[in-house]
């Protein structure tokens, strides 16, 4: 595996030789002082270029970065809508284990680029045309204090979508139930746990993408409870996961409400929990009464 020094040298050498590339920036986990360093960290690189067309007419120019396992160019894909505007990205996984996420940005967007991510550092500026950038900080990714309305919406979404899970489980529609449990209910639980951590740390930390650093901040009990909500494909265990989520959400949301002087929605909790227990206990033949 090429070392980080070798990768940086290669990235800068390519830029130095190409007159179209006027500056090089880097952001992401490699510039974040609070992220543990390991061999899986991407090189999130930006080339600020004088024009885009010649790069995009023939993508073979990227072969100089090394032999790839796979590559993705999101701006050319039909499945996903382009989100970068005039920019273009190459996401490259190499056979030696390194990965580069390389974005081409028109030079006329240089001022916008310099202020849009506080984790940015400048590796090269051939023309000294970029504004000064402060030392990198992940403060843009810190847990944000919720408003009372946002807190209430999170509670409402959790309890509302829980009823969809119950419906799917009673109908024996396991994919429907799991979809709503994991893609709608779980994110509200993670969000509430995130706020709890934010309160404990004065809203001065990031819990990482997908909450990957939550374990550092949760009590052992809460962490184990959260892990137990990841069920297998059996209906019995999905029911168990749903009620475990509800218990953890309830205790966490009450703690957040008490800390922020917000109101916990006791009635939503009470009525929906009773409804879930009722559906769980319904006979498979209950539909015959309808």
């Amino acid at each position: 595996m090429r070392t980080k020094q070798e990768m940086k040298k290669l990235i800068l050498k390519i830029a130095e030789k190409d007159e179209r590339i006027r500056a090089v920036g880097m952001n992401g986990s490699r510039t974040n002082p609070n992220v543990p360093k390991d061999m899986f960290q991407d090189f999130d690189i930006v080339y600020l270029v004088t024009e885009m067309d010649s790069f995009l007419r023939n993508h073979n120019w990227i072969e100089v970065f090394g032999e790839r396992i796979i590559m993705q160019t999101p701006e050319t894909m039909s499945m996903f809508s382009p989100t970068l505007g005039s920019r273009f990205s190459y996401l490259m996984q190499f056979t030696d284990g390194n990965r580069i996420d390389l974005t081409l940005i028109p030079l006329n967007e240089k001022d916008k680029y310099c202020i849009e991510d506080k984790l940015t550092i400048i590796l090269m500026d051939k023309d000294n045309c970029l504004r000064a950038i402060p030392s990198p900080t992940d403060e843009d990714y810190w847990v944000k204090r919720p408003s009372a309305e946002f807190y209430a919406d999170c509670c409402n979404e959790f309890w509302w979508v829980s009823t969809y899970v119950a419906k799917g489980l009673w109908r024996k529609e396991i994919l429907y139930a799991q979809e709503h449990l994991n893609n709608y209910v779980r994110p509200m639980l993670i969000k509430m746990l995130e706020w709890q951590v934010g309160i404990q740390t004065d809203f001065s930390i990031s819990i990482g993408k997908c909450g990957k650093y939550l374990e550092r901040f949760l009590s052992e009990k809460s962490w184990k409870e959260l892990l137990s909500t990841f069920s297998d494909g059996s209906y019995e265990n999905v029911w168990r996961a749903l009620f475990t989520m509800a218990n953890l959400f309830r205790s966490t949301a009450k703690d957040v409400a008490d800390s922020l002087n917000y109101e916990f929605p006791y009635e939503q909790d009470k009525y929906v929990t009773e409804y879930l227990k009722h559906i769980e206990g319904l006979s498979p033949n209950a539909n015959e009464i309808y």
Side-chain angles (χ1 to χ4, degrees), residues 228-247:
S228 73
T229 66
F230 291 88
S231 69
D232 60 21
S234 73
Y235 288 97
E236 179 183 359
N237 282 337
V238 179
W239 272 115
R240 186 181 298 115
L242 175 60
F243 284 114
T244 301
M245 273 195 200
N247 290 336

Side-chain angles (χ1 to χ4, degrees), residues 130-171:
L130 303 183
R131 64 172 64 192
I133 295 179
S135 298
T137 172
D138 64 357
E139 65 181 77
D140 284 345
Y141 303 92
W142 290 354
V143 177
K144 303 294 190 296
R145 179 189 179 99
S147 65
E149 294 79 13
F150 208 85
Y151 168 84
D153 288 347
C154 179
C155 292
N156 181 269
E157 178 74 355
F158 180 91
W159 295 115
W160 171 255
V161 183
S162 294
T163 66
Y164 288 67
V165 181
K167 176 170 62 177
L169 291 173
W170 183 84
R171 288 176 171 170

Side-chain angles (χ1 to χ4, degrees), residues 142-155 187-203 207 214 218 249 252-253 255-257 259-260 262:
W142 290 354
V143 177
K144 303 294 190 296
R145 179 189 179 99
S147 65
E149 294 79 13
F150 208 85
Y151 168 84
D153 288 347
C154 179
C155 292
M188 296 302 102
L189 172 59
I190 298 297
K191 179 60 69 178
M192 196 61 70
L193 289 166
E194 175 183 313
W195 290 334
Q196 185 181 53
V197 169
I199 291 165
Q200 294 165 356
T201 57
D202 197 25
F203 295 98
I207 62 165
L214 261 179
L218 296 185
F249 185 87
T252 307
D255 183 57
V256 170
S259 298
L260 297 180
Y262 293 165

Side-chain angles (χ1 to χ4, degrees), residues 10-217:
L10 173 63
I11 289 163
L12 293 175
K13 181 180 177 182
I14 293 167
E16 184 64 45
K17 288 184 172 181
D18 195 322
E19 284 300 308
R20 299 169 297 177
I21 303 170
R22 305 314 301 168
V24 182
M26 182 166 73
N27 57 8
S29 64
R30 286 189 178 273
T31 66
N32 189 343
N34 296 320
V35 170
K37 307 305 178 187
D38 64 35
M39 63 183 179
F40 290 107
Q41 288 179 296
D42 309 337
F43 290 87
D44 294 300
I45 299 297
V46 162
Y47 281 171
L48 287 154
V49 300
T50 54
E51 52 87 16
M52 302 281 288
D53 290 347
S54 59
F55 287 101
L56 304 185
R57 275 198 302 269
N58 184 348
H59 297 300
N60 288 339
W61 72 273
I62 62 172
E63 300 301 326
V64 291
F65 287 104
E67 185 179 358
R68 299 185 303 273
I69 294 173
I70 190 170
M71 178 174 73
Q72 190 173 90
T73 52
E75 285 68 52
T76 66
M77 298 177 74
S78 299
M79 180 172 279
F80 310 109
S81 299
T83 60
L84 294 184
S86 59
R87 304 177 182 188
F88 192 90
S89 58
Y90 300 88
L91 314 181
M92 300 175 281
Q93 178 70 55
F94 300 101
T95 55
D96 70 347
N98 278 297
R99 171 174 161 167
I100 296 177
D101 289 354
L102 173 64
T103 303
L104 301 180
I105 299 181
L107 190 59
N108 61 17
E109 295 187 21
K110 66 181 186 302
D111 290 337
K112 179 181 178 184
Y113 167 69
C114 286
I115 63 172
E116 64 190 14
D117 187 344
K118 290 181 181 176
L119 284 173
T120 297
I121 62 172
I122 302 303
L123 302 179
M124 178 185 291
D125 182 2
K126 294 179 181 178
D127 309 308
N128 293 317
C129 65
L130 303 183
R131 64 172 64 192
I133 295 179
S135 298
T137 172
D138 64 357
E139 65 181 77
D140 284 345
Y141 303 92
W142 290 354
V143 177
K144 303 294 190 296
R145 179 189 179 99
S147 65
E149 294 79 13
F150 208 85
Y151 168 84
D153 288 347
C154 179
C155 292
N156 181 269
E157 178 74 355
F158 180 91
W159 295 115
W160 171 255
V161 183
S162 294
T163 66
Y164 288 67
V165 181
K167 176 170 62 177
L169 291 173
W170 183 84
R171 288 176 171 170
K172 299 299 181 185
E173 296 169 346
I174 192 68
L175 296 183
Y176 178 95
Q178 292 275 37
E179 165 78 10
H180 286 83
L181 182 73
N182 291 313
N183 292 347
Y184 298 94
V185 177
R186 185 180 302 284
M188 296 302 102
L189 172 59
I190 298 297
K191 179 60 69 178
M192 196 61 70
L193 289 166
E194 175 183 313
W195 290 334
Q196 185 181 53
V197 169
I199 291 165
Q200 294 165 356
T201 57
D202 197 25
F203 295 98
S204 61
I205 58 95
S206 164
I207 62 165
K209 189 174 184 179
C210 305
K212 61 184 178 181
Y213 302 136
L214 261 179
E215 184 180 5
R216 300 178 187 176
F217 303 101

Side-chain angles (χ1 to χ4, degrees), residues 216-227:
R216 300 178 187 176
F217 303 101
L218 296 185
S219 67
E220 184 178 358
K221 177 178 179 296
S222 291
W223 179 246
K224 286 183 177 178
E225 201 169 352
L226 176 61
L227 292 184

